[in-house]
Amino acid sequence: MTLFIILAVLTVVSSLLVIFQRNVVHSAVALVAALFFIAVLFLTLDAPMIGILQVLVYAGAIMVLFLFVIMLLNPAALEPRQIPWWTLGSAAALLLVFLLMPALLNTVAPRQAAPAGPGFGSPELLGQTLFGSFVLPFEIASVLLLVAIIGAVVLAKKES
Amino acid sequence: MTLLRYIPLFPLAGALLNVFVGRWLGRRAAGLLACAAVGLSFVVSFAIFSLLRATEVLREPLFTWMEVAPLKIEIAFQADALTAVMLLIITGIGLLIHIYSLGYMGHDEGMVRYFAYLNLFIFFMSLLVLADNLLLLFVGWEGVGLCSYLLIGFWYQDHANAIAGNKAFIVNRIGDFGFLLGMLLLFWEMGRQGVWSLSVSELQNITHLLRPERVRLITLLLFIGAAGKSAQIPLYVWLPDAMQGPTPVSALIHAATMVTAGVYMTARLSFLFSMTPETLALIAWIGGLTAFFAATIAVAQNDIKRVLAYSTVSQLGYMFLAVGVGAFSVAIFHLFTHAFFKACLFLSSGSVIHALGGEQDMRKMGGLRRYLPTTYTTYLVATLAISGFPLTAGFFSKDQILWAVHSSPAGSTSLWTLAWLTAGLTAFYMFRQFFLVFHGKCRVDEPALAHIHESPPVMRVPLVLLALGSIFAGWLATPEFMWGSLWEGWLEPVFSAGGVANHAASEDEILFMGVTLAISAFGFLLAFLFRSPENKIAEWLSRSAICRLLAGKYYIDELYDFFFVRPFTASARWLAQICDPGLIDGLVNGVAERVRGGSLLGRQLQSGNVQHYLFAFLAGALALLAYFLGR
Amino acid sequence: MAPLNYYLVLSAVIFAIGVAGVIVRRNVIVILMSVELMLNAVNLTFLAFARSFGSMDGQVIVFFVMTVAAAEAVVGLAIIIALFRHRRSLDPREMQLLKW
């Protein structure tokens, strides 16, 4: 419980830093932190495999890609901050949390989970599920990734 | 026997050929082609004429034009004695005029176009007289109007000719509108009896079922159409201006055939007109007044063709006078004889104009007897005929009209007096013209005098034939004391419904002949006395107010211009310059402007900034959340 | 272990922060990063429910979401590069050719 609260505070703070930092690089670093804390939260939910993937794929691969792009484009100027627009967006986001709150606090799902079964969240079980009932989406995901690679190459290529 | 269809077919084929391949045929061949087409039609018409001795009515349906539930209109031809007579006039005189045109138009650039129009006219005119129903008749009616318009404005390079064509077309349009209304009303009235067609024969069968007050209105409206086409008061103004066209056209369309379409129509529907004495009386008075009125104008005109034009209006008035007193066969008889002598007069005047290189002013003619002997003779014969010289065609037909006006129960002494005075005036203005053109001192301009020549044979032969017709055409219907009338018996079946038998004592008829002859002779005498322009009395008269009034044609054109044309153009200008840009454009542009304004406002929503759209999307999601979770 | 509701509320808060970032930030790279934040919030929810129901399906879905997120990030960054090449700017307000 204490661990969750500490992790929750750290995640929210680093998430807020992502959007409040005017410097893009700082935002990216804050995002890496937030993703890391979320990976730890995954671990607390008996999902070690996903948590490791989170660190590997997100913090490791995607964020490096972000940083490369930032470095490549090198947007030197700090972006302007318009108070009215910021207030409006923040208020809308707050309203969203406020509206969702009662529904989230009264879920029909069991509040306190039963102790996890043996091997829950283990790579074995995940692999069995993935290649069992989810094998078709898995294969389609591979096609999606291929398309994304080709698309990215085509888009980012210098026009001749 | 399916002969009737060939009568309109040949001229139509000729017209189409001339339109499409005429320019490759060359002028000469195009003219001969047109003549051949009309010639074939004439042969067929003559065959019809002979055939009709055996049967009274030939009917020949071609195909169904339109069929909507009970309504059925056929393209069908029919021919009875009346049609046969008209066909002979149209194709016979048409043929002569075609041949004449070969010479008259021989040097004209637009000769191919001219013959195409002329053939087209013959097509429409034969369609008009052959039509079995009124709708088909109307097609012919409008078609001849179109050809008339095209031929009046034939030399369209001259603005005045185009204007004259427009005037003829527009004035005719007024009449046609009346005709159309009358036809629709008749259609409605026939529909009440369950007959949904405009067929003349079917109409004849149910005439007695129609309501008299409706028939009165219908005949009145139809007569408006006839008055427009046949140039009667108040719609006669277009005919004198129509003389801007080539002279053979004036002879064919504006004297012999088309302008008699109104008379033909009333004769064709004689059974209907006979039902309403009121309409007949109106027709008689309009006819009589037109005859007299136009004759007075003709007295003071100096243009050779204009005199003839007013004379045509006057003679058409005679025909309507005969129609008005119920003497339909007499009207058609006068139509028949008039076609000969008026065509002869026009063609002879054309010969004169041709000889003088286009000069039409009679004050610049005179003494032409020596240069144009053939034309002089034919002109003299036709003038005698129109003036009613004994034993010529005009003598018999005019006499019969006067006699019918006197003896018919529908006639009256005042009408007779009007017609009688007109006879005198006719003799006077015709001989005035004759003396001015052919006798006296030669007043021709020097350059024209050098080229003066008698017309070629191709023009002289039709003239002679028409002159012969001007004499002998009348012998078909002579008074009882001579050898009687072939004519009456011939047309009897057509008009049995409405014809008025008027056989009084022949002594009276002889007396009336004498009286008419006397006034004609008086007219001739006056013309002879005043034949020289240097005559003191004539000179004094020509400067008098009344003569100026006559020369100005009673200023009817100016009157119409002031009362109808000017207000009309002024209101049209007001509509075009004030109403249209202000009201109509204002409304249309105003609506567009409002829409544009609203759109400009709505366009602000589309800022193009994707974050604004996202915000709107979020707001919508929030609203949905609030709705579903807040319940 | 904390109750399920706690995880859901935390997830909602992170998601809202992501939404706010997408709306208010004037830099397309940061907007893309905010989208990643939102995706992670959703992933957290999936895992919380998976744990709660004791089913592996939720974890598999997260696996797929991460796949799609990776593809999205790659293509999105490629578009950003292409756009920057034309506009010399990362401000989304500059990219409004769809107007009218």
Side-chain angles (χ1 to χ4, degrees):
Chain A
M1 190 68 192
T2 328
L3 175 68
F4 173 78
I5 290 171
I6 296 170
L7 280 174
V9 170
L10 285 172
T11 313
V12 170
V13 168
S14 44
S15 300
L16 286 173
L17 281 177
V18 172
I19 65 166
F20 280 107
Q21 284 292 339
R22 293 175 72 192
N23 189 313
V24 192
V25 182
H26 293 175
S27 286
V29 171
L31 182 61
V32 172
L35 293 175
F36 182 77
F37 294 131
I38 290 172
V40 179
L41 275 168
F42 288 175
L43 291 180
T44 67
L45 286 168
D46 289 328
M49 183 65 191
I50 301 294
I52 290 164
L53 280 177
Q54 167 92 347
V55 175
L56 281 178
V57 174
Y58 263 116
I62 298 182
M63 284 320 295
V64 169
L65 193 61
F66 267 98
L67 286 168
F68 262 120
V69 171
I70 293 167
M71 194 184 74
L72 239 145
L73 303 185
N74 194 20
L78 294 178
E79 64 176 280
R81 191 170 284 174
Q82 295 139 316
I83 302 302
W85 185 238
W86 273 76
T87 319
L88 205 62
S90 311
L94 278 177
L95 190 62
L96 178 66
V97 176
F98 175 76
L99 280 172
L100 282 172
M101 207 56 86
L104 299 177
L105 291 176
N106 299 310
T107 48
V108 289
R111 298 279 177 96
Q112 205 62 53
F120 183 81
S122 65
E124 293 92 343
L125 199 53
L126 184 66
Q128 273 165 11
T129 322
L130 203 52
F131 293 108
S133 43
F134 288 94
V135 69
L136 186 66
F138 181 81
E139 295 299 335
I140 294 175
S142 69
V143 175
L144 176 74
L145 282 172
L146 181 66
V147 171
I149 293 167
I150 298 170
V153 171
V154 169
L155 279 168
K157 201 177 66 169
K158 258 213 165 75
E159 285 164 37
S160 53
Chain B
M1 288 294 280
T2 52
L3 271 177
L4 293 183
R5 65 191 59 176
Y6 294 108
I7 299 171
L9 190 69
F10 288 126
L12 179 64
L16 290 178
L17 274 174
N18 266 343
V19 165
F20 289 112
V21 298
R23 79 173 66 177
W24 289 286
L25 290 178
R27 277 188 262 169
R28 188 102 204 138
L32 288 173
L33 173 72
C35 291
V38 182
L40 284 169
S41 277
F42 178 66
V43 170
V44 179
S45 301
F46 206 84
I48 300 287
F49 180 79
S50 338
L51 269 175
L52 271 174
R53 300 224 167 269
T55 48
E56 269 182 12
V57 180
L58 286 176
R59 204 168 174 285
E60 191 177 315
L62 289 190
F63 53 87
T64 304
W65 185 3
M66 48 183 107
E67 188 166 9
V68 186
L71 163 69
K72 186 173 183 190
I73 306 257
E74 280 188 317
I75 300 277
F77 295 148
Q78 58 89 45
D80 55 8
L82 174 59
T83 309
V85 168
M86 290 300 289
L87 282 175
L88 282 182
I89 296 172
I90 294 159
T91 54
I93 296 194
L95 176 62
L96 291 180
I97 291 171
H98 270 72
I99 294 169
Y100 178 91
S101 299
L102 285 176
Y104 191 84
M105 301 296 284
H107 309 295
D108 199 279
E109 289 290 317
M111 189 168 159
V112 175
R113 186 163 56 94
Y114 172 84
F115 274 109
Y117 290 164
L118 221 54
N119 263 357
L120 194 67
F121 170 77
I122 298 283
F123 163 69
F124 277 123
M125 194 67 204
S126 52
L127 201 64
L128 196 162
V129 295
L130 277 168
D132 165 73
N133 59 61
L134 284 181
L135 215 56
L136 191 58
L137 188 149
F138 192 63
V139 172
W141 186 275
E142 291 293 313
V144 292
L146 169 72
C147 295
S148 157
Y149 163 78
L150 290 171
L151 284 164
I152 293 169
F154 182 73
W155 290 307
Y156 55 86
Q157 293 90 339
D158 189 346
H159 192 57
N161 297 343
I163 296 272
N166 281 345
K167 185 172 175 183
F169 204 76
I170 290 165
V171 175
N172 262 303
R173 205 97 283 284
I174 298 168
D176 293 351
F177 189 61
F179 187 31
L180 197 58
L181 282 182
M183 208 164 67
L184 290 174
L185 201 58
L186 183 62
F187 178 63
W188 184 13
E189 188 64 16
M190 284 173 82
R192 273 183 81 246
Q193 305 300 336
V195 180
W196 293 99
S197 85
L198 281 166
S199 161
V200 175
S201 48
E202 286 183 50
L203 175 61
Q204 199 158 8
N205 292 335
I206 61 158
T207 312
H208 58 282
L209 294 172
L210 305 180
R211 288 174 294 180
E213 69 276 9
R214 268 299 158 83
V215 172
R216 193 178 311 147
L217 191 56
I218 290 166
T219 49
L220 217 55
L221 286 167
L222 291 177
F223 177 63
I224 292 177
K229 186 75 44 189
S230 293
Q232 297 298 293
I233 291 174
L235 298 176
Y236 72 92
V237 289
W238 65 272
L239 189 55
D241 285 22
M243 297 304 133
Q244 303 278 4
T247 306
V249 170
S250 308
L252 178 61
I253 301 186
H254 304 120
T257 53
M258 185 193 84
V259 288
T260 61
V263 182
Y264 166 77
M265 193 263 285
T266 48
R268 171 58 65 211
L269 299 175
S270 59
F271 53 91
L272 206 62
F273 280 88
S274 304
M275 275 179 75
T276 56
E278 298 89 347
T279 312
L280 280 184
L282 180 80
I283 294 176
W285 272 104
I286 296 235
L289 282 173
T290 308
F292 181 74
F293 193 71
T296 56
I297 298 177
V299 163
Q301 299 303 311
N302 284 321
D303 185 312
I304 183 167
K305 281 180 75 182
R306 247 163 220 277
V307 175
L308 294 177
Y310 280 105
S311 149
T312 305
V313 175
S314 174
Q315 299 298 317
L316 287 167
Y318 265 133
M319 294 176 209
F320 275 106
L321 180 59
V323 165
V325 298
F328 291 102
S329 67
V330 174
I332 297 297
F333 184 51
H334 193 59
L335 190 162
F336 179 67
T337 57
H338 173 251
F340 283 103
F341 58 71
K342 188 51 65 70
C344 184
L345 281 172
F346 264 115
L347 293 188
S348 303
S349 76
S351 177
V352 171
I353 294 165
H354 197 66
L356 297 181
E359 183 58 62
Q360 298 195 13
D361 193 336
M362 294 190 294
R363 286 167 298 192
K364 292 185 180 169
M365 296 177 183
L368 293 179
R369 182 175 40 152
R370 269 168 295 158
Y371 305 102
L372 309 170
T374 315
T375 309
Y376 172 76
T377 317
T378 56
Y379 212 104
L380 176 62
V381 169
T383 305
L384 286 172
I386 194 173
S387 310
F389 188 78
L391 297 183
T392 58
F395 169 74
F396 292 116
S397 59
K398 195 181 291 184
D399 241 33
Q400 283 188 22
I401 290 174
L402 282 160
W403 175 242
V405 171
H406 170 75
S407 61
S408 157
S412 65
T413 315
S414 39
L415 272 175
W416 182 85
T417 314
L418 213 54
W420 181 70
L421 285 173
T422 308
L425 279 169
T426 307
F428 173 68
Y429 70 70
M430 283 315 297
F431 276 101
R432 166 179 174 268
Q433 179 181 40
F434 181 70
F435 288 133
L436 268 175
V437 173
F438 291 104
H439 287 269
K441 260 202 335 220
C442 184
R443 301 178 295 278
V444 182
D445 291 338
E446 275 306 317
L449 196 60
H451 296 108
I452 198 159
H453 59 283
E454 178 60 295
S455 302
V458 74
M459 284 164 73
R460 272 182 311 200
V461 171
L463 279 181
V464 172
L465 287 175
L466 284 170
L468 289 175
S470 303
I471 297 171
F472 297 113
W475 294 13
L476 287 172
T478 58
E480 295 292 314
F481 61 85
M482 290 170 77
W483 55 85
S485 175
L486 280 169
W487 191 267
E488 296 266 332
W490 170 239
L491 281 178
E492 183 120 42
V494 183
F495 299 121
S496 56
V500 181
N502 45 3
H503 297 293
S506 53
E507 289 80 23
D508 274 10
E509 210 171 341
I510 294 174
L511 178 68
F512 271 88
M513 260 182 192
V515 173
T516 313
L517 263 180
I519 190 149
S520 298
F522 180 66
F524 165 76
L525 208 65
L526 272 184
F528 181 73
L529 289 176
F530 294 166
R531 68 187 182 281
S532 161
E534 285 88 42
N535 185 301
K536 284 280 181 286
I537 308 170
E539 211 182 331
W540 173 77
L541 267 176
S542 70
R543 272 188 272 111
S544 66
I546 183 141
C547 197
R548 278 208 305 277
L549 183 67
L550 291 180
K553 301 165 258 170
Y554 294 107
Y555 301 102
I556 295 290
D557 277 334
E558 284 75 8
L559 222 61
Y560 281 2
D561 187 56
F562 183 77
F563 280 109
F564 299 111
V565 179
R566 268 168 210 282
F568 189 78
T569 47
S571 62
R573 196 174 296 118
W574 178 79
L575 282 172
Q577 292 178 355
I578 312 278
C579 191
D580 188 56
L583 192 66
I584 309 292
D585 287 4
L587 271 175
V588 173
N589 292 343
V591 168
E593 202 57 49
R594 293 292 92 75
V595 170
R596 190 177 133 89
S599 308
L600 273 177
L601 215 65
R603 209 174 71 181
Q604 303 301 316
L605 283 175
Q606 297 284 321
S607 64
N609 189 335
V610 73
Q611 285 175 314
H612 292 165
Y613 300 161
L614 266 173
F615 183 77
F617 165 51
L618 178 63
L622 286 176
L624 283 176
L625 263 181
Y627 178 71
F628 284 115
L629 297 180
R631 270 199 309 198
Chain C
M1 207 193 83
L4 173 67
N5 304 27
Y6 282 44
Y7 282 97
L8 296 184
V9 172
L10 173 63
S11 161
V13 170
I14 300 173
F15 187 83
I17 292 171
V19 167
V22 168
I23 291 182
V24 300
R25 290 299 298 252
R26 301 298 195 194
N27 186 319
V28 274
I29 296 178
V30 180
I31 287 173
L32 214 52
M33 292 200 287
S34 301
V35 172
E36 301 297 338
L37 215 48
M38 286 156 75
L39 284 167
N40 269 280
V42 173
N43 276 354
L44 190 57
T45 321
F46 271 124
L47 286 179
F49 275 117
R51 176 68 187 80
S52 172
F53 288 111
S55 159
M56 278 307 282
D57 290 3
Q59 299 205 357
V60 174
I61 296 295
V62 171
F63 179 84
F64 284 122
V65 170
M66 283 166 75
T67 316
V68 173
E72 171 250 38
V74 167
V75 175
L77 285 169
I79 292 175
I80 287 172
I81 290 174
L83 269 173
F84 187 79
R85 213 175 266 150
H86 283 288
R87 306 243 144 202
R88 293 281 134 203
S89 163
L90 290 172
D91 194 329
R93 285 171 300 180
E94 303 276 322
M95 305 159 187
Q96 34 179 253
L97 276 179
L98 278 182
K99 197 159 102 176
W100 303 348

